[in-house]
Amino acid sequence: MRWINTRPGRGTQLALMLFPFLLLAVAYGFGSAARLAENANDKLLPSLAGFADAIDRMAFVADQRTGDYLLWSDTRASLVRLFAGLGISTVIALLIGMAIGMLPYLRALLSPFVAVISMVPPLALLPILFIVMGLGETSKIALIVIGIAPTMIRDLALRVLELPREQIIKAETLGGSSWQIALRVLLPQILPRLITCLRLQIGPAWLFLIAAEAISSDSGLGYRIFLVRRYLSMDVIFPYVVWITLLAVVTNYALDRIRIVAFPWSELETQG
């Protein structure tokens, strides 16, 4: 029997999927119990009851100063910035990536420039963005765009170049213009790749957003984490980290479902 040819059943696959999470939870439980046994006021590894109290306080009790439910107001602020950055990056990547992959002259002009820009550490540009654009929402969204758009552009351009040249030749034989070829031949085939590329950039986008919120913001999930760290409030930091992860997972799943529903044939390609 070759292990490479064996596949788990549905039940086994579910158990294997949950096992690492369960193992992590058990390890945390033992570690927390051990530390709290030595010091009941230990803040490094709070108990599950401490997490429950913190979640209740942040999500279901209005803040005395602002009257807001902090978890939800922070989530709203962060998601607005995140989706704005992802949306702008998607439009830029689609237009420029498809153009670079399709037009040789534009590829010669922009491809090296985009490649160099994609190598610049985005976080190193954060002070420049704050100086040029101020400390408001624009600089935070711009950091996300600068961080992920060049990579998306390069990926889509490569996808266009991977398409069989025969398709374009046949479209030209049938009298198709460059505009028609772009819309009717290239675009339907790169849209699934665009969604997949966007899914892969969700993690980096959150990274850039949290960094920007930590340095200069008065709301947001990243702002709250770095605000309470000075008090060693791990009972707040851990749930916020888990919540950010859950939001990223849900966004990733939603985008994948959109891809499957809108382009069902792309699922066959991924399986193949």
Side-chain angles (χ1 to χ4, degrees), residues 11 90 151-152 166-167 177 184 206 260-261:
T90 299
T151 302
M152 296 179 66
E166 291 79 5
Q167 295 182 358
S177 64
R184 303 186 65 177
W206 270 111
I260 294 173
V261 172

Side-chain angles (χ1 to χ4, degrees), residues 41-245:
N41 296 319
D42 181 75
K43 293 185 175 181
L44 183 60
L45 297 177
S47 65
L48 295 181
F51 285 142
D53 291 340
I55 293 171
D56 180 71
R57 183 174 69 255
M58 302 299 293
F60 304 110
V61 177
D63 182 63
Q64 294 182 353
R65 184 174 61 87
T66 64
D68 294 330
Y69 296 91
L70 295 180
L71 177 63
W72 309 119
S73 62
D74 289 336
T75 300
R76 181 172 60 252
S78 291
L79 288 182
V80 169
R81 296 162 184 153
L82 179 75
F83 289 139
L86 290 175
I88 294 172
S89 299
T90 299
V91 174
I92 292 175
L94 178 61
L95 296 178
I96 299 180
M98 188 165 65
I100 289 176
M102 180 180 175
L103 305 175
Y105 273 94
L106 197 60
R107 183 161 60 251
L109 174 67
L110 292 181
S111 184
F113 177 76
V114 173
V116 171
I117 292 298
S118 68
M119 301 300 173
V120 177
L123 294 180
L125 300 177
L126 189 54
I128 299 175
L129 294 177
F130 283 151
I131 293 172
V132 175
M133 300 182 177
L135 303 178
E137 302 300 302
T138 304
S139 57
K140 300 178 183 63
I141 295 172
L143 179 64
I144 297 174
V145 174
I146 293 173
I148 68 175
T151 302
M152 296 179 66
I153 291 172
R154 296 182 68 188
D155 187 77
L156 289 182
L158 290 174
R159 174 57 180 163
V160 173
L161 292 173
E162 290 172 357
L163 297 177
R165 179 66 184 174
E166 291 79 5
Q167 295 182 358
I168 297 178
I169 295 175
K170 290 179 180 178
E172 291 174 338
T173 303
L174 295 174
S177 64
S178 297
W179 182 252
Q180 290 173 323
I181 293 173
L183 292 181
R184 303 186 65 177
V185 178
L186 301 181
L187 184 62
Q189 297 187 77
I190 67 171
L191 284 178
R193 178 70 163 262
L194 175 63
I195 297 176
T196 299
C197 185
L198 185 60
R199 291 173 57 204
L200 295 175
Q201 296 303 315
I202 292 175
W206 270 111
L207 170 64
F208 302 136
L209 174 61
I210 291 173
E213 290 180 341
I215 295 176
S216 176
S217 186
D218 57 4
S219 63
L221 297 170
Y223 160 78
R224 192 67 54 189
I225 289 175
F226 279 81
L227 178 67
V228 302
R229 70 182 172 86
R230 67 186 66 173
Y231 310 113
L232 300 178
S233 299
M234 303 298 286
D235 57 340
V236 175
I237 294 176
F238 278 148
Y240 263 62
V241 171
V242 172
W243 179 239
I244 291 172
T245 304

Side-chain angles (χ1 to χ4, degrees), residues 83 191-196 198-199 202 250-267:
F83 289 139
L191 284 178
R193 178 70 163 262
L194 175 63
I195 297 176
T196 299
L198 185 60
R199 291 173 57 204
I202 292 175
V250 170
T251 305
N252 176 74
Y253 177 78
L255 287 172
D256 193 41
R257 295 308 304 173
I258 291 173
R259 177 186 63 83
I260 294 173
V261 172
F263 311 101
W265 48 267
S266 66
E267 182 69 5

